[in-house]
Amino acid sequence: MEKPCPGNRTMNQWRFFASGLFVLLLGCQPQPRPIHFGEELCAYCQMGISDPRFGAEIVTRQGRVFVFDALECMVEFERAGSIPTEQIHSRWVIDFSQPGKLIAVEAAEFVFTPQIHSPMGLNVYALPQGRYEHDTVLPRGRKLTWQEVVELVRAQWREGPPRGSPMP
């Protein structure tokens, strides 16, 4: 016979409850959410987020989501200390080839090209790694890593967002 626990529960019932709670907590990882184009404002520049080919998100460890109209606003938001780096769970960017779809920064590659005009004028778009080489319809340009994008933003925005479209 099982030893009763508080509240007339058996030890097995408590174990089942505890293991279920543990599984539930493991499944509650902070996640990105869809950007509501035409309804939300950029967390950095406060412009309306309207072009579904561009955009980005920072997801905190607590699950808070900050949305941006362009990846350069996300870079500047973080650089400005608007959120401590240790609180960031993940960074996400819009897949240019699938408007509105978010991909993790670590799974993305970036392309600078004057053939497109991004909302803040950096003219960089994001794609899943490997897509650029196989998709001949995409605007051609110079491939960049995430670190190169960060450096480009910092070089172009030394004194705040540019007044015109940057050309590295």
Side-chain angles (χ1 to χ4, degrees), residues 56-115:
E57 290 185 359
I58 288 177
V59 180
T60 68
R61 294 189 184 286
Q62 296 77 27
R64 186 167 179 196
V65 177
F66 294 92
V67 295
F68 305 94
D69 62 338
L71 54 88
E72 52 266 43
C73 282
M74 179 171 69
V75 170
E76 282 297 292
F77 182 83
E78 189 175 346
R79 186 199 61 76
S82 301
I83 182 169
T85 302
E86 62 272 4
Q87 287 186 14
I88 296 175
H89 175 268
S90 54
R91 294 169 190 84
W92 300 80
V93 290
I94 294 289
D95 176 355
F96 184 82
S97 66
Q98 295 183 56
K101 181 181 178 193
L102 289 160
I103 52 176
V105 163
E106 298 81 13
E109 61 188 6
F110 305 88
V111 179
F112 167 79
T113 178
Q115 295 178 37

Side-chain angles (χ1 to χ4, degrees), residues 139-158:
R140 306 326 272 175
R142 185 177 68 175
K143 279 182 51 177
L144 304 170
T145 65
W146 177 245
Q147 188 56 45
E148 290 171 323
V149 170
V150 170
E151 291 167 7
L152 178 61
V153 171
R154 290 181 178 164
Q156 295 294 324
W157 287 29
R158 279 193 186 119

Side-chain angles (χ1 to χ4, degrees), residues 122-150:
L122 192 65
N123 302 336
V124 173
Y125 67 86
L127 298 164
Q129 291 178 358
R131 167 108 9 115
Y132 183 74
E133 287 81 15
H134 304 304
D135 191 333
T136 57
V137 177
L138 291 168
R140 306 326 272 175
R142 185 177 68 175
K143 279 182 51 177
L144 304 170
T145 65
W146 177 245
Q147 188 56 45
E148 290 171 323
V149 170
V150 170

Side-chain angles (χ1 to χ4, degrees), residues 1-15:
M1 181 161 201
E2 291 189 41
K3 187 176 181 179
C5 287
N8 290 332
R9 300 250 193 277
T10 65
M11 196 62 106
N12 281 342
Q13 286 173 319
W14 279 106
R15 284 185 191 127

